[in-house]
Amino acid sequence: GQNIDQPTEMTATEGAIVQINCTYQTSGFNGLFWYQQHAGEAPTFLSYNVLDGLEEKGRFSSFLSRSKGYSYLLLKELQMKDSASYLCAGISGGYQKVTFGTGTKLQVIP
Amino acid sequence: DSGVTQTPKHLITATGQRVTLRCSPRSGDLSVYWYQQSLDQGLQFLIQYYNGEERAKGNILERFSAQQFPDLHSELNLSSLELGDSALYFCASSVDSRDTGYGYTFGSGTRLTVV
């Protein structure tokens, strides 16, 4: 599996932009997910990156650099409802095993 | 509603007991995954089934077992329960683990409390 590393907590202001970083082992790497999880709820799929570059989906964008073992999730025009944990998950191996990081708890403040 | 159904939503049981958690995958999905999430912890992968066959195993304890039935629903059996088994147990499904572009769809989870 992957060793996924991401910051434990972040705080950002409503209306601002925040970048959540994630690093992973490149060995056997096949792709990367970002999920959003509100406390006590199921994770919901945000993005999937397999090639280098930026994938944009509305206010959320995700970037991948395969050679550097690095990804980030960019959230623009932050809203209070964006307060949640953001999980980075690496995909590896023939059966595409998914390993989740411990998540970054984002608090959006007024 | 994600399309993945987990029952029960909440379960309180005593140490030493055995429980069964149930998951019905989204229609058309052949792969089922079980994850454990303890308080303030990440999702720990337990086990994966694809079309009735075990495909991958994570950090699943010997006291835990699972299976996927011909109708594709899956059950996770937890026995000789300990206080440390208290957690949220999520089931997720996908069409095929080799086609990951759309990610996994998670159920709403079963919150297990062992007292």
Side-chain angles (χ1 to χ4, degrees), chain A residues 33 35 37 40-43 45 48 87 91 94-98 100-102, chain B residues 35 37 42-43 45 55 88 90 97-98 100-104 106-108 111:
Chain A
F33 290 132
Y35 277 81
Q37 186 180 25
E41 296 182 11
F45 173 74
Y48 169 63
L87 312 177
I91 308 161
Y95 283 124
Q96 307 286 58
K97 181 182 174 183
V98 176
F100 283 85
T102 52
Chain B
Y35 283 85
Q37 188 174 42
L43 286 162
F45 171 66
R55 180 167 271 185
L88 259 174
F90 286 107
S97 63
R98 290 189 178 90
T100 50
Y102 297 99
Y104 296 171
F106 281 82
S108 55
R111 182 174 292 282

Side-chain angles (χ1 to χ4, degrees), chain B residues 1-20:
Chain B
D1 181 7
S2 68
V4 178
T5 304
Q6 286 189 250
T7 56
K9 289 197 183 310
H10 301 277
L11 199 49
I12 301 174
T13 190
T15 54
Q17 294 299 304
R18 172 190 166 95
V19 297
T20 297

Side-chain angles (χ1 to χ4, degrees), chain B residues 49-97:
Chain B
Y49 282 84
Y50 173 77
N51 204 21
E53 302 276 332
E54 181 184 305
R55 180 167 271 185
K57 236 176 182 178
N59 300 323
I60 187 166
L61 299 171
E62 285 192 12
R63 301 184 285 109
F64 295 1
S65 65
Q67 59 184 120
Q68 186 180 28
F69 295 86
D71 67 352
L72 301 178
H73 91 271
S74 178
E75 292 180 358
L76 178 68
N77 300 297
L78 315 176
S79 61
S80 302
L81 284 167
E82 302 175 359
L83 295 178
D85 298 326
S86 295
L88 259 174
Y89 290 84
F90 286 107
C91 168
S93 72
S94 68
V95 173
D96 182 337
S97 63

